[in-house]
Coordinates of all heavy atoms in Angstrom, one line a residue:
V12 N 3.3 17.0 -5.3 CA 1.9 17.1 -5.6 C 1.5 18.6 -5.9 O 0.4 18.9 -6.1 CB 1.1 16.6 -4.4 CG1 1.2 15.1 -4.2 CG2 1.4 17.4 -3.1
N24 N -18.6 12.1 8.2 CA -19.9 11.7 8.6 C -20.1 12.0 10.1 O -20.2 11.1 10.9 CB -20.1 10.2 8.3 CG -21.5 9.8 8.6 OD1 -22.5 10.5 8.5 ND2 -21.7 8.5 8.9
L42 N -7.6 15.7 9.4 CA -6.9 17.0 9.2 C -5.5 16.9 8.9 O -5.0 17.6 8.0 CB -7.1 17.8 10.5 CG -6.9 19.3 10.4 CD1 -8.0 19.9 9.5 CD2 -7.0 20.0 11.8
A78 N -17.8 21.3 5.9 CA -16.9 22.1 5.2 C -16.5 23.4 5.9 O -15.3 23.8 6.0 CB -17.5 22.5 3.8
L84 N -10.7 24.6 11.2 CA -9.6 23.9 11.8 C -8.3 24.1 10.9 O -7.2 24.1 11.5 CB -9.9 22.4 11.8 CG -11.0 22.0 12.8 CD1 -11.5 20.6 12.6 CD2 -10.5 22.2 14.3
A98 N -22.0 21.0 -12.4 CA -21.3 22.2 -12.8 C -20.6 22.9 -11.6 O -19.5 23.4 -11.7 CB -22.4 23.2 -13.3
L107 N -9.6 26.2 -7.9 CA -8.7 26.0 -6.8 C -7.3 26.5 -7.2 O -6.8 26.2 -8.2 CB -8.6 24.6 -6.4 CG -9.7 24.0 -5.4 CD1 -9.5 22.5 -5.2 CD2 -9.7 24.8 -4.1
R119 N -23.4 10.6 -1.4 CA -24.6 9.8 -1.4 C -25.8 10.5 -2.0 O -26.9 9.9 -2.0 CB -24.9 9.2 0.0 CG -23.9 8.2 0.4 CD -24.2 7.5 1.7 NE -23.1 6.5 2.1 CZ -23.1 5.9 3.2 NH1 -24.1 6.0 4.1 NH2 -22.1 5.1 3.5
A140 N -13.5 10.9 -11.2 CA -12.1 10.9 -11.6 C -11.7 12.1 -12.5 O -10.6 12.5 -12.5 CB -11.8 9.6 -12.4
D144 N -6.3 14.3 -10.2 CA -5.2 13.7 -10.9 C -4.7 12.5 -10.0 O -4.0 11.6 -10.5 CB -4.0 14.7 -11.0 CG -4.5 16.0 -11.8 OD1 -5.0 15.8 -12.9 OD2 -4.4 17.1 -11.2
V145 N -4.9 12.6 -8.7 CA -4.4 11.6 -7.7 C -5.5 11.4 -6.7 O -6.3 12.3 -6.4 CB -3.2 12.2 -7.0 CG1 -2.6 11.1 -6.0 CG2 -2.1 12.6 -8.0
A153 N -15.4 4.2 6.1 CA -16.1 3.7 4.9 C -15.4 2.6 4.2 O -15.9 2.1 3.2 CB -16.4 4.9 4.0
K185 N -2.1 -4.5 15.7 CA -1.7 -4.8 17.1 C -2.7 -5.6 17.8 O -2.5 -6.2 18.9 CB -1.5 -3.5 17.9 CG -0.2 -2.7 17.4 CD -0.1 -1.5 18.3 CE 1.2 -0.7 17.9 NZ 1.4 0.5 18.7
K206 N -22.5 -8.6 16.4 CA -21.1 -8.9 17.0 C -20.8 -10.4 16.9 O -19.7 -10.8 17.3 CB -21.1 -8.5 18.5 CG -21.4 -7.0 18.8 CD -20.4 -6.1 18.3 CE -20.5 -4.7 18.8 NZ -21.7 -4.0 18.6
F230 N -27.6 -13.5 25.6 CA -26.8 -14.4 26.4 C -27.4 -14.9 27.6 O -27.4 -16.1 28.0 CB -25.4 -13.7 26.7 CG -24.5 -13.7 25.5 CD1 -24.5 -12.7 24.6 CD2 -23.5 -14.7 25.4 CE1 -23.6 -12.7 23.5 CE2 -22.6 -14.8 24.4 CZ -22.6 -13.8 23.4
Q244 N -32.8 -11.3 20.8 CA -32.8 -11.9 19.5 C -32.9 -13.4 19.7 O -31.8 -14.1 19.7 CB -31.5 -11.4 18.7 CG -31.6 -10.0 18.3 CD -30.4 -9.6 17.4 OE1 -29.3 -9.5 17.8 NE2 -30.6 -9.6 16.1
A275 N -39.5 -0.2 33.6 CA -40.6 -0.5 32.8 C -40.7 0.4 31.5 O -41.5 0.1 30.6 CB -41.9 -0.4 33.6
P328 N -21.3 0.7 23.6 CA -21.7 1.1 25.0 C -22.4 -0.1 25.7 O -23.0 -0.9 25.0 CB -22.6 2.3 24.8 CG -23.1 2.1 23.4 CD -22.1 1.5 22.6
A347 N -12.1 2.5 33.4 CA -11.3 1.3 33.6 C -10.2 1.3 32.6 O -9.0 0.9 32.8 CB -12.1 0.0 33.6
G359 N -14.6 3.0 17.7 CA -15.4 3.9 16.9 C -16.9 3.9 17.2 O -17.3 3.3 18.2
N374 N -6.9 11.7 24.8 CA -5.5 11.3 24.9 C -5.2 10.2 26.0 O -4.1 9.7 26.1 CB -4.6 12.5 25.2 CG -4.6 13.5 24.1 OD1 -4.6 13.1 22.9 ND2 -4.6 14.8 24.4
G377 N -5.3 4.7 24.1 CA -4.3 4.5 23.1 C -4.7 4.9 21.7 O -3.9 5.5 21.0
H378 N -6.0 4.6 21.4 CA -6.5 5.0 20.1 C -8.0 5.0 20.1 O -8.6 4.1 20.6 CB -6.0 4.0 19.0 CG -6.4 4.3 17.6 ND1 -6.0 5.4 16.9 CD2 -7.3 3.7 16.8 CE1 -6.6 5.4 15.7 NE2 -7.4 4.4 15.6

Side-chain angles (χ1 to χ4, degrees):
V12 293
N24 186 26
L42 200 63
L84 293 168
L107 278 177
R119 292 185 182 175
D144 306 302
V145 181
K185 290 184 180 181
K206 303 293 194 303
F230 278 86
Q244 288 187 281
N374 295 320
H378 179 69

